[in-house]
Amino acid sequence: MPDDASPLWALPAFRIAALVRSGQISAREAAQAALARIEAANPAINAVVRLTAEDALRDARAVDEAVARGEDPGPLAGVPVTVKENVDQKGHPTTNGLRIQAGLIAAEDNPVVASLRAAGALIVGRTNTPAFSLRWFTRNSLHGATRNPRNPALTPGGSSGGAGAALAAGIGAVAHGTDIGGSIRYPAYACGVHGLRPSLGRVAAANLSAGDRHIGAQLMAVSGPLARSVQDLGLALAAMARPDPRDPWHAPVPLTGPDLPRRAALCPAPEGLAPDPAVEAALRGAAEKLADAGWEVEETDAPPMREAAELQLILWLSEMRRMGPEALEREGDPDALFVVSQLERMCPRSGFEALMDALQRRVTLARAWNLFLERFPVLLCPVSAEPPFPDHLDVSGPEGFARVWRAQLTQLATPLVGLPGLVVTTGAAQTPLGPAPIGVQLIGPRFREDVLLAAGAEIEQRSPPVLPVDPAPADPAPADPASGGAR
């Protein structure tokens, strides 16, 4: 058994794996502890929407048998993890938060799920996402809403909101998420955990239960880990980065590269973004922590972000207009319908020429970022201009949606050019809705997640520890998930 006072379900992934490999605990014990934690904590937050106990216990048996034979059971041996319900897991529906996909049963694992299993991880449950994985909030008409265990008045983030909420409540030591515009980074921020959006091509992924996605998602969507320690992020990334020929764009680039200058750029207000005082204080505090660790930190402007966010929207809506209207109508999710209506207002219909121009301009912006990151291997900037939002602010009306969109600039910009981003939680801030997690974002060169993790570890070491919480009991009469913007 563990030699400290922490319950087994609360231990970090690296600690659980070491205990399993040494024979001090069994993988079955780790699985059972995680499943018991789901039973205790999940009813209050609705983060795990499908329990996969049979899968976890089967894989735990395989890990324990490997240990008994003296074989290496993998770097995540016996580590309980969750996966988001928008990736294929054999024998389970890939709903993406949709009623119309409730019967879409995967015939095989997505490469990222297969990689986690190959590393010895135990998948204990599938986590909630908004309909179409479309929002920075998490509610859908199939499974309902996910609550933030640190403060239920706040969003748990999205679209990997179930992943972030589960981790914050001690469900699993690692969570899988996806990110095309902040969907790993924002839930990590909102739930007070850490999250890594890897470089485009770092983690092989493909959902073979449905058709391949169009160019926007191919260029910007990635899978990656959330965890309660930066060390666990690195461990999970190494497991997820296994090559798989089913992803044609996977790049087998080494996880570590040559030494780079320990130099960081601090940009609290890129292109006129107006950060909340708590956000700016967190950034300046993180800069001081890096300086204390021997990094050179210089306050400066960042490369263009607003144009990158605008081009991302063109790519998003080009794909949505090509494939989405019928599915939106069939699903009828009020949140998704409202959000898409607001995106349509922001980006009037554009034709083939506008799409081609956006793709051309993407190269120019990528070059500007490459040159900047050659000088500053780490950019320290906001995750959001505000502390975590009141839950469902985006569907409260056009003003609420516009406020959310303005604040999320830094999450939208860098996926366009394929860059990795790391969110490190640094503590809490007082807000009108009570205490709220706060953190910072680090952006680095392509395939240099190692640099981000090294810098993030220095900030983590000088910040309060990230501990799981017991969520407050659920409301006796939760809101109707179909209430949407009328709520």
Side-chain angles (χ1 to χ4, degrees):
M1 293 299 294
D3 56 6
D4 57 38
S6 299
L8 182 52
W9 55 262
L11 294 180
F14 70 85
R15 181 86 176 101
I16 294 172
L19 290 168
V20 170
R21 282 196 297 269
S22 67
Q24 291 179 259
I25 66 169
S26 67
R28 181 177 180 84
E29 287 177 288
Q32 289 173 328
L35 294 170
R37 183 59 181 172
I38 294 174
E39 184 178 358
N42 194 61
I45 57 175
N46 191 36
V48 174
V49 292
R50 188 175 182 87
L51 194 66
T52 56
E54 185 176 332
D55 295 35
L57 292 170
R58 179 198 63 220
D59 292 345
R61 183 167 57 251
V63 169
D64 287 335
E65 290 172 352
V67 172
R69 292 191 300 267
E71 299 172 358
D72 182 0
L76 291 176
V79 174
V81 306
T82 60
V83 299
K84 190 174 175 181
E85 222 192 17
N86 69 349
V87 295
D88 288 347
Q89 182 178 346
K90 184 178 180 179
H92 299 281
T94 307
T95 74
N96 201 18
L98 303 175
R99 292 171 293 186
I100 59 175
Q101 291 186 191
L104 184 63
I105 307 299
E108 59 186 282
D109 286 338
N110 184 300
V112 69
V113 174
S115 294
L116 286 168
R117 280 187 163 144
L122 313 178
I123 299 173
V124 295
R126 292 172 63 75
T127 53
N128 205 17
T129 183
F132 299 97
S133 294
L134 189 58
R135 302 168 61 210
W136 289 294
F137 304 77
T138 298
R139 179 172 65 186
N140 59 63
S141 301
L142 175 64
H143 297 304
T146 294
R147 290 169 25 125
N148 190 325
R150 298 202 188 273
N151 182 341
L154 305 176
T155 177
S159 61
S160 307
L167 265 178
I171 296 173
V174 168
H176 158 270
T178 62
D179 190 313
I180 195 173
S183 288
I184 289 172
R185 292 164 290 157
Y186 192 65
Y189 177 73
C191 291
V193 297
H194 309 308
L196 176 65
R197 173 199 156 86
S199 306
L200 178 69
R202 170 65 80 188
V203 173
N207 277 343
L208 301 182
S209 62
D212 288 321
R213 301 178 72 178
H214 283 271
I215 189 64
Q218 289 186 42
L219 291 175
M220 294 185 289
V222 301
S223 280
L226 298 88
R228 294 187 297 270
S229 80
V230 172
Q231 183 175 347
D232 282 356
L233 288 180
L235 189 67
L237 177 67
M240 290 180 172
R242 188 182 70 144
D244 192 305
R246 291 176 293 169
D247 184 346
W249 308 131
H250 173 70
V253 179
L255 286 165
T256 57
D259 289 342
L260 293 175
R262 288 161 58 89
R263 186 181 304 125
L266 170 64
C267 186
E271 292 193 83
L273 191 72
D276 182 274
V279 172
E280 183 165 358
L283 284 164
R284 295 196 180 280
E288 291 174 3
K289 292 166 186 174
L290 283 179
D292 181 63
W295 284 66
E296 177 187 344
V297 182
E298 179 181 331
E299 187 165 346
T300 185
D301 293 331
M305 288 195 180
R306 294 196 181 279
E307 184 183 5
E310 292 166 2
L311 296 179
Q312 169 153 192
L313 184 55
I314 290 173
L315 294 174
W316 275 6
L317 287 181
S318 294
E319 181 167 336
M320 206 172 293
R321 288 161 179 161
R322 178 75 176 87
M323 299 294 292
E326 180 186 355
L328 276 167
E329 184 177 346
R330 286 174 56 214
E331 180 63 24
D333 182 88
D335 293 338
L337 289 168
F338 180 79
V339 167
V340 171
S341 74
Q342 299 307 297
L343 295 176
E344 291 278 8
R345 288 178 56 191
M346 293 171 57
C347 183
R349 288 191 172 270
S350 53
F352 175 77
E353 292 80 5
L355 175 61
M356 295 300 290
D357 288 346
L359 292 171
Q360 180 189 40
R361 185 63 181 163
R362 174 178 176 266
V363 177
T364 305
L365 294 177
R367 182 180 300 112
W369 276 96
N370 283 354
L371 292 170
F372 178 86
L373 293 170
E374 185 176 42
R375 181 182 175 198
F376 298 103
V378 169
L379 169 65
L380 184 60
C381 67
V383 186
S384 172
E386 298 193 31
F389 302 118
D391 209 6
H392 306 299
L393 174 64
D394 64 332
V395 294
S396 65
E399 290 184 4
F401 182 87
R403 173 182 159 188
V404 169
W405 188 267
R406 284 194 303 269
Q408 307 295 73
L409 172 66
T410 59
Q411 296 169 56
L412 290 163
T414 51
L416 183 82
V417 291
L419 297 177
L422 171 65
V423 166
V424 179
T425 190
T426 57
Q430 288 300 318
T431 74
L433 294 176
I438 206 76
V440 299
Q441 179 173 199
L442 290 77
I443 296 166
R446 285 190 67 207
F447 299 116
R448 293 312 306 265
E449 293 88 355
D450 58 326
V451 175
L452 296 183
L453 291 168
E458 298 290 3
I459 296 170
E460 176 191 41
Q461 183 181 338
R462 293 162 175 80
S463 302
V466 177
L467 301 175
V469 296
D470 289 319
D475 295 333
D480 178 0
S483 62
R487 178 173 174 175

